[in-house]
Amino acid sequence: MLEKLQRALGLKTNPVIFFSSALLVLVFVVVSIAFTDQVDTVFRAASDWAITNLGWFYILGVTSFLVFLLWIAFSRYGHVRLGGKDSRPEYSNVSWFGMLFAAGIGTILMFWGVAEPVNHFANPPFSGAHDQVADAAESAGSSQEFAEQLREIPVGAGDTAPLSENAANEAIGFSLYHFGFHTWAIFALPALAFAYFAYFAYKRGLPFRVSSIFHPLLGDRINGPIGKTIDIVAVIGTLFGVAVSIGLGTLQINSGLNQLFGFEIGATAQILIIAVVTTIATISVVTGLDKGIKWLSNINIWMAVGLLLVVLIAGSTVFLLRGVIESTGNYLSMLVPLSFWNDALPANDWGWQGSWTVFYWAWTITWAPFVGIFVARISKGRTVREFVMGVLGAPVVFSIIWFSIFGMSSINLEWSNPGSLVGPVVQEGDTAASLFAFLENFPAAEFLMALSVLIVVIFFTTSSDSASLVVDMLTSGNSVNPPVRQRVFWALLQGLVAATLIAATGEEALAALQQVITVIGLPFFLIAFVMMYSLVKALKRDTSDLELLPRRARAMLERERGEREKEAEVEPS
């Protein structure tokens, strides 16, 4: 029946994966609207259980991914070329990086670039004074009074005092921990696995689906019910993971338009924003990868760099340049301890990390199929080492510069004008407005705000566009020239999900969705460990000793072998 429906609609996809995923997503939306409180209660309880009992597993898991990637990049498998030994990259390094950044965490850097450093500056993770900060936020009458109360909060020996120099250093360090190597390790691991199994065409040539990674374990059973179930879960997780980003982007765009034009902040305005941006994303989907996402990504990365340079030049330039260097050192010095920090003390409570790091990792892992498959799609022809170093290198360097400049600049502004940023970000909890509150302190503030809104819109668009491409690949595999209407359908469905949730319960819907993806993230973590095992097993089975040699050494041996063959041909019989 599903195959008949597929033919009637003119689709080229796996009907079971396509229609099951779409139906389950729509059912979840309807049930969430009809039984919002009950659904929220169930997922909140499951999320709390996962964070409390398995938070350590999330922390250890992401660190394991990073260590594995570094090992495989510098092992003998680092010379293996994705797509075969004669394959070469389809995109320049600049275009590749632009698409990596735009489809990865461009929107998140815009959203959290000011908000997270300021939050940790006012409420340091190592302060042990989180309850006092919350009490001060409720009791303070003004933002200046709130800042004064923060400075008076007593902390224990060895703990970090709010709004102190140590708090500033730790704020940048934690922000980079959350959006640096660990986040990109979550993206890079599935991307490498997808790229290998799909692009090692002369050995594997498997479809772009999560189930393909299980081929060393399941064999051809990935085409049966087990494989289809894995792919359906991946599609649903991808759609909801992107939906949270769409929600955050919508709130930030709404806040920016409110600052610029007085647009009312609320569900109606946010639905209108989603409709407009979904329309733009749909147009980009129709134009295709090379014209749509590539073109938008290249434009947006340069606009983001322009905004970064304005903040650097118009702000305390020398201070910020010094801050970039110092922040890099602070991040690297904190990297190993934070990689294993589990907030174990006090022993009777999970503490700060449960609502920050564990949630980030669970949220990010739901993006992994989306970003992973997209990165794999644009990375054919690169060696394993080039791939890992590129995906872990370029975006992380940019993130370090971004958080150092925006974070240190916002902290410097808070020092100069107490309460100007900790007031809206921490006391009022308006993280969506943090960037615009920050830009109010710069010349041509309205222009910078408008530019920021445009950047967020394009990041929002490329994320939706990329997700549509990836979800279509998850449902159709390596189908040649699938109908554009399939990607358009997924783009529209993403917008529908986000708009429906916001219309139903506003910001509470986003909080509920965060609970959902925290739960959904757990099976993806388990799948990631399977990825590591399957990748190593397949590399050992598929690659010859010659292919594992560096390119020059392999070329020299092949040339010598050719010369010997020629000599053998001319020898008399």
Side-chain angles (χ1 to χ4, degrees):
M1 183 177 70
L2 292 180
E3 292 180 354
K4 290 182 180 180
L5 179 60
Q6 174 184 253
R7 287 194 296 269
L9 296 174
L11 305 178
K12 290 178 65 176
T13 185
N14 185 296
V16 174
I17 300 174
F18 184 94
F19 291 112
S20 298
S21 301
L23 179 62
L24 289 172
V25 170
L26 292 174
V27 167
F28 178 84
V29 170
V30 172
V31 171
S32 296
I33 294 173
F35 305 100
T36 302
D37 293 339
Q38 293 87 337
V39 171
D40 180 63
T41 299
V42 170
F43 278 101
R44 183 177 299 277
S47 175
D48 290 345
W49 181 89
I51 290 174
T52 301
N53 296 284
L54 297 175
W56 61 270
F57 177 67
Y58 285 82
I59 303 299
L60 178 62
V62 180
T63 298
S64 300
F65 305 161
L66 179 59
V67 172
F68 172 81
L69 288 167
L70 294 175
W71 167 77
I72 202 168
F74 290 100
S75 71
R76 60 178 186 159
Y77 301 118
H79 302 296
V80 173
R81 192 170 291 275
L82 303 172
K85 61 182 180 181
D86 297 323
S87 182
R88 293 296 179 268
E90 297 177 346
Y91 301 99
S92 68
N93 289 335
V94 174
S95 294
W96 186 50
F97 168 55
M99 288 189 282
L100 282 176
F101 183 76
I105 57 172
T107 305
I108 303 305
L109 292 187
M110 290 292 293
F111 191 89
W112 291 107
V114 171
E116 178 148 353
V118 170
N119 208 311
H120 300 333
F121 180 49
N123 190 8
F126 293 146
S127 69
H130 307 304
D131 292 339
Q132 294 94 313
V133 172
D135 292 340
E138 293 183 3
S139 62
S142 65
S143 57
Q144 292 83 358
E145 183 181 347
F146 176 58
E148 292 175 2
Q149 291 186 22
L150 290 179
R151 288 191 172 88
E152 295 174 357
I153 291 177
V155 295
D159 290 338
T160 303
L163 304 184
S164 65
E165 290 185 14
N166 285 339
N169 289 329
E170 290 179 6
I172 303 299
F174 267 95
S175 298
L176 292 174
Y177 170 52
H178 288 151
F179 297 107
F181 288 116
H182 282 71
T183 284
W184 281 95
I186 295 175
F187 295 151
L189 176 60
L192 179 60
F194 290 135
Y196 179 79
F197 285 103
Y199 281 143
F200 224 54
Y202 66 97
K203 295 286 182 66
R204 296 279 180 179
L206 298 172
F208 268 109
R209 294 187 187 135
V210 175
S211 58
S212 295
I213 296 170
F214 287 75
H215 190 269
L217 297 174
L218 300 176
D220 291 339
R221 285 179 294 172
I222 63 170
N223 298 315
I226 297 176
K228 289 181 173 63
T229 300
I230 293 172
D231 293 324
I232 291 170
V233 171
V235 170
I236 294 172
T238 299
L239 286 172
F240 285 125
V242 173
V244 173
S245 298
I246 289 176
L248 292 176
T250 300
L251 293 177
Q252 191 172 30
I253 293 170
N254 195 181
S255 180
L257 294 177
N258 175 263
Q259 292 277 351
L260 288 168
F261 307 111
F263 277 26
E264 181 181 354
I265 295 178
T268 302
Q270 289 157 10
I271 292 172
L272 179 61
I273 290 169
I274 291 174
V276 171
V277 177
T278 300
T279 301
I280 299 173
T282 302
I283 295 172
S284 180
V285 163
V286 173
T287 59
L289 177 63
D290 291 330
K291 294 181 180 179
I293 301 176
K294 179 182 176 181
W295 184 74
L296 287 173
S297 299
N298 287 338
I299 289 177
N300 216 36
I301 194 66
W302 288 115
M303 288 197 299
V305 169
L307 179 64
L308 186 74
L309 291 175
V310 169
V311 174
L312 173 63
I313 295 171
S316 302
T317 306
V318 176
F319 166 77
L320 293 177
L321 291 174
R322 291 163 57 197
V324 171
I325 305 301
E326 188 166 323
S327 296
T328 303
N330 286 334
Y331 171 49
L332 294 177
S333 66
M334 296 174 66
L335 182 59
V336 174
L338 289 182
S339 296
F340 297 95
W341 182 56
N342 265 275
D343 204 7
L345 298 175
N348 61 342
D349 189 13
W350 178 252
W352 174 91
Q353 202 176 31
S355 58
W356 282 91
T357 308
V358 174
F359 166 70
Y360 273 143
W361 294 167
W363 178 15
T364 306
I365 200 72
T366 61
W367 287 22
F370 151 44
V371 179
I373 289 182
F374 180 77
V375 171
R377 171 66 180 80
I378 63 176
S379 300
K380 183 179 181 180
R382 301 183 184 274
T383 66
V384 170
R385 183 171 301 163
E386 290 172 346
F387 178 89
V388 173
M389 292 298 99
V391 176
L392 290 183
V396 172
V397 169
F398 191 91
S399 296
I400 290 174
I401 296 172
W402 185 276
F403 273 103
S404 298
I405 291 179
F406 277 86
M408 294 297 288
S409 185
S410 59
I411 288 171
N412 192 38
L413 285 172
E414 178 60 34
W415 270 329
S416 303
N417 186 11
S420 59
L421 292 178
V422 299
V425 176
V426 182
Q427 185 180 18
E428 299 175 13
D430 190 3
T431 54
S434 60
L435 176 62
F436 305 107
F438 168 76
L439 292 175
E440 284 180 349
N441 297 277
F442 288 83
E446 290 187 355
F447 170 77
L448 294 179
M449 290 181 190
L451 178 64
S452 299
V453 169
L454 179 60
I455 292 172
V456 173
V457 168
I458 297 180
F459 276 140
F460 185 171
T461 301
T462 53
S463 294
S464 177
D465 191 345
S466 304
S468 302
L469 172 67
V470 166
V471 172
D472 186 46
M473 294 174 72
L474 284 172
T475 58
S476 63
N478 288 339
S479 178
V480 179
N481 299 321
V484 174
R485 67 175 70 91
Q486 293 175 188
R487 298 197 300 275
V488 170
F489 169 78
W490 293 117
L492 296 175
L493 184 59
Q494 291 171 46
L496 176 63
V497 170
T500 303
L501 289 170
I502 286 178
T505 52
E507 294 186 31
E508 293 180 5
L510 294 177
L513 190 55
Q514 290 173 0
Q515 301 290 338
V516 172
I517 63 173
T518 300
V519 178
I520 292 177
L522 182 57
F524 280 99
F525 264 90
L526 298 175
I527 290 174
F529 281 93
V530 176
M531 289 180 185
M532 292 188 286
Y533 172 79
S534 296
L535 189 57
V536 173
K537 184 175 181 179
L539 281 166
K540 287 181 178 180
R541 178 188 303 171
D542 294 346
T543 52
S544 65
D545 292 337
L546 181 62
E547 289 172 313
L548 296 178
L549 291 174
R551 181 181 175 184
R552 291 183 179 179
R554 185 173 64 248
M556 184 176 65
L557 288 177
E558 290 176 345
R559 185 169 57 252
E560 291 177 354
R561 182 172 60 184
E563 292 174 354
R564 288 196 300 268
E565 290 175 353
K566 289 181 180 179
E567 292 175 357
E569 290 176 358
V570 299
E571 287 181 359
S573 57

